[in-house]
Amino acid sequence: MKKLLLLGDEAIAKGALDAGLSGIYAYPGTPSTEITEYVQNSKQAKEDNVRSEWSVNEKTAMETALGMSYAGKRAMVCMKHVGMNVAADGFINSAVTGANGGLIVTAADDHSMHSSQNEQDSRFYGKFAFIPTFEPSDHQEAYDMTRYGFDMSEKYKIPVLMRITTRLAHSRAAVELSGPKAQNEKKLPGNMHQFILLPSIARTQYVDLLDKQAGLEEESETSGFNKYFEGEDKSKGIIVCGLAYNYLMENYPDRKVPYPLLKISQYPLPRKMIEKITEECDEILVMEEGMPMVEEMLKGFLGKGPNIRGRLDGTLPRVGELNPNSVAVALGMEDTIGQDVPDFVAGRPPQLCVGCPHIDSYNALNAALAGLAPGRVFADIGCYTLGSFEPYDAINSCVDMGASITMAIGAADAGMFPAVAVIGDSTFTHSGITGLLDAVNTQSPITVLILDNGITAMTGCQLSGATGKIEDICLGLGVEEAHVRLLNPLGKHHEKNMEIMKEELAYKGVSVVIPRRACVVDTRKLVSYKDSVKR
Amino acid sequence: MKKDIIIAGVGGQGILSIAGTIGYAAVEANLFLKQAEVHGMSQRGGDVQSHFRLSDKPIASDLIPKGKADVIISVEPMEALRYLPMLSPTGWLITNTNPFINIPNYPDIEIVLEAVRNFPNHKALDADSIAKELKSARSANIVVLGAAAPFLDIEQELLENALRTLFGRKGDKVVEANIAALRAGRKFSEEN
């Protein structure tokens, strides 16, 4: 069998391609981006005409994939965990419509927040939506489960959630391949009312969804991805979910765990296996990469069930990702550590690149706001969030994609003038357009800076849906032409840029300022101030 | 055989090229490997590291346990020290001596280098100057890898083949420059 060295993300992409994928839909987001990029760069995908262009946001991605599933073909949606919040409407309702062609939603969670604003656990979405969920512990499982997941999605006519975390997504290991399968032919759903969620139909569909759960639970018992290992010492039983299995095994180099062990990689939870381990062991240690979901389920609100240990009672840390050391401590083993970090070693936070256009935009903005009371700049998600650090200290918020514009409106409504939004080009088309329409409709006196560097920079320079369209979008939404101002963010234009910003800050209506210069990291240079002016 | 390696530096210094080279060589040597990388925000001038695990047996964790790393390979001296908690008491610290100063509170470089020199098993080399002498300033990362090579239990030939695979697309000149950088780094470690 052929072996490839793949990132966890790539193992999922390759598994999907080998399972006969027809389309992948995604918006870039760490740590999920490389799934879609693998398909985009794949010769196999090109030959098989697999659709892989970026979507404008996770919601459009989710719905487009659902449309492909409706038409009978296999589709995948990929996003980082917070993208699940954007896609949630489509995701939750896709459980009620059910799938036709196989549909897998891949959510990459970022516990310890390496590159994210929270550490939510996407397994909760699976449980909430009654959607079966896979949680691979290694690269081989990621590949195998993706193939199996498409089959299961078609067998039960339900979307499937693939939940991974940073350390699998961005770790490389060898994967054994099992050969490609042809794509599905186009085929309409057997039930032509299935996708019409009118209340009368949705009520029936919802009951069907609940009825599917028994079969899904049986799959969890028999698929082989959940495994029960007998153990002689029944003073303790261990339940490990996903990656936690690896950290456990790291502490048993001969791979012999003395306690009964249940490895969970597929949900809904396998009831019989859970019953067996809780009945035969005095206490249960639950180790989960993420939030204590299984632990809470077993413990119950009153804690009157079996004796459960884990993240809730402090046996494991309450927050952050697990590691071999935290698991060793939970097992009562000796912790290991080398020398301390010397005191003089300074933190080195990420920062804007030398020559980055955002630097000049922030310098101009800071100068334009000088003399006004502080605390009026609502920023967004992207490289420009690094404007929070010294020497810029230029922003006051970063919450979710698009929240810059809408928070500025709310602050303006509360009496703040001027209120400023700072948003990147890609984030603007992801979730900023609707907010700007709100601002126009309510004649909110805000100034929106759309920092246009021509790409989605933070995640590695993916194409942006906004390129070449920003002015037209703003004018189309109803922003007055006199208050859509283009500028060239370079140090030599500092005075002029500051003046333009000052003028627009003083305007008591919606104004948009677009500093446009290509990202210094991106070699393609997809936007330029000069070209825009010529047009 | 087991080698747990921390590769450290600042985003943009070529950490992933070092990891990629060891990766290709390990595959050719038929070893098991797991390599955890950092992508995303930290790549923008922040501290970055890769956990690289090699073994002749299957590897469980993607992360190296603290105090168990056999080698730290760092393209920047202060970054080498950041991962001391990961390093085994018998491990080796291999680092470039050239500071990458992109923060206002970077400590006195002499204090940094003294801490490196105080570590029992260390190789500290001016990889930037060695790379410049070879007229290949961008290969400083591979010079550092070369200095670490004697501690990796991987044959020199396999590492050189890996460079051919990794840089092949960029042409023979780049491949040869990197092989020269690897050899120069190894020579430093063997002579110092």
Side-chain angles (χ1 to χ4, degrees), chain A residues 30 34 115 167 170-173 246-247 250 255 324-325 336 338-339 341 344 346-348 350-351 383 457-458, chain B residues 10 34-35 37 39 41 44 46-47 53 58 60-62 65-66 76 78-79 82 84-85 87 100 102 107 119:
Chain A
T30 311
E34 292 81 358
S115 203
R167 296 303 178 181
H170 287 168
S171 166
R172 230 174 263 282
N246 303 342
Y247 300 138
E250 185 66 29
R255 307 245 163 172
N325 295 82
T336 57
Q339 287 191 12
V341 182
F344 58 78
R348 195 185 308 251
Q351 50 190 279
C383 283
M458 180 63 89
Chain B
V10 181
K34 279 197 172 181
Q35 179 211 337
E37 304 171 356
H39 297 208
M41 191 177 243
R44 301 274 173 263
D47 59 278
R53 312 196 72 188
S61 165
D62 298 270
K66 284 180 199 146
E76 206 281 345
M78 184 178 78
E79 294 307 321
R82 194 185 302 284
L84 284 181
L87 193 58
F100 186 94
N102 64 345
F119 195 80

Side-chain angles (χ1 to χ4, degrees), chain A residues 109-114 119-120 163 165 289-291 321:
Chain A
D109 295 354
D110 188 22
H111 297 282
S112 287
M113 300 180 237
H114 298 280
E119 58 169 28
Q120 68 189 46
R163 184 258 187 173
T165 54
E289 181 74 327
M291 293 171 159
E321 58 185 358

Side-chain angles (χ1 to χ4, degrees), chain A residues 414-437:
Chain A
M416 179 182 288
F417 180 80
V420 184
V422 177
I423 187 167
D425 52 313
S426 188
T427 307
F428 174 65
T429 43
H430 178 291
S431 288
I433 297 174
T434 44
L436 187 57
L437 181 59

Side-chain angles (χ1 to χ4, degrees), chain A residues 266-520:
Chain A
Q266 185 177 348
Y267 307 79
L269 285 176
R271 187 173 297 273
K272 288 175 207 155
M273 290 181 183
I274 297 270
E275 276 171 359
K276 178 171 164 161
I277 199 165
T278 49
E279 276 164 18
E280 75 175 4
C281 300
D282 299 338
E283 66 170 34
I284 303 291
L285 173 57
V286 185
M287 305 205 230
E288 301 173 76
E289 181 74 327
M291 293 171 159
M293 184 183 91
V294 173
E295 188 182 344
E296 278 183 346
M297 287 168 74
L298 299 187
K299 199 166 189 158
F301 182 69
L302 297 173
K304 285 184 176 169
N307 188 9
I308 307 292
R309 317 203 64 167
R311 285 186 184 266
L312 292 172
D313 71 346
T315 304
L316 284 162
R318 181 66 182 82
V319 298
E321 58 185 358
L322 299 174
N323 60 54
N325 295 82
S326 60
V327 167
V329 170
L331 292 164
M333 295 176 174
E334 198 189 341
D335 197 6
T336 57
I337 192 153
Q339 287 191 12
D340 290 342
V341 182
D343 292 339
F344 58 78
V345 171
R348 195 185 308 251
Q351 50 190 279
L352 295 171
C353 303
V354 175
C356 174
H358 301 335
I359 293 174
D360 297 299
S361 297
Y362 278 133
N363 285 342
L365 179 64
N366 279 346
L369 289 168
L372 294 169
R376 55 183 75 247
V377 181
F378 302 90
D380 226 297
I381 312 266
C383 283
Y384 47 95
T385 318
L386 299 172
S388 165
F389 294 125
E390 294 290 346
Y392 317 106
D393 190 15
I395 65 171
N396 306 109
S397 77
C398 159
V399 180
D400 67 65
M401 296 286 281
S404 55
I405 297 177
T406 30
M407 283 183 71
I409 298 171
D413 287 346
M416 179 182 288
F417 180 80
V420 184
V422 177
I423 187 167
D425 52 313
S426 188
T427 307
F428 174 65
T429 43
H430 178 291
S431 288
I433 297 174
T434 44
L436 187 57
L437 181 59
D438 270 345
V440 169
N441 288 345
T442 58
Q443 298 180 325
S444 179
I446 63 168
T447 299
V448 180
L449 264 63
I450 304 176
L451 308 182
D452 185 12
N453 59 7
I455 42 129
T456 314
M458 180 63 89
T459 47
C461 300
Q462 291 78 21
L463 296 179
S464 158
T467 304
K469 305 187 178 72
I470 295 176
E471 287 92 324
D472 288 344
I473 291 171
C474 295
L475 296 172
L477 291 173
V479 183
E480 292 166 63
E481 194 161 6
H483 296 285
V484 177
R485 309 285 297 272
L486 184 66
L487 53 84
N488 189 358
L490 279 170
K492 62 182 176 185
H493 303 309
H494 176 77
E495 294 296 324
K496 187 177 154 199
N497 292 343
M498 179 188 71
E499 286 307 323
I500 291 173
M501 287 186 192
K502 269 189 170 171
E503 285 167 26
E504 296 310 325
L505 289 171
Y507 175 60
K508 294 204 169 170
V510 182
S511 56
V512 173
V513 178
I514 308 167
R516 173 167 294 144
R517 178 153 71 81
C519 171
V520 289

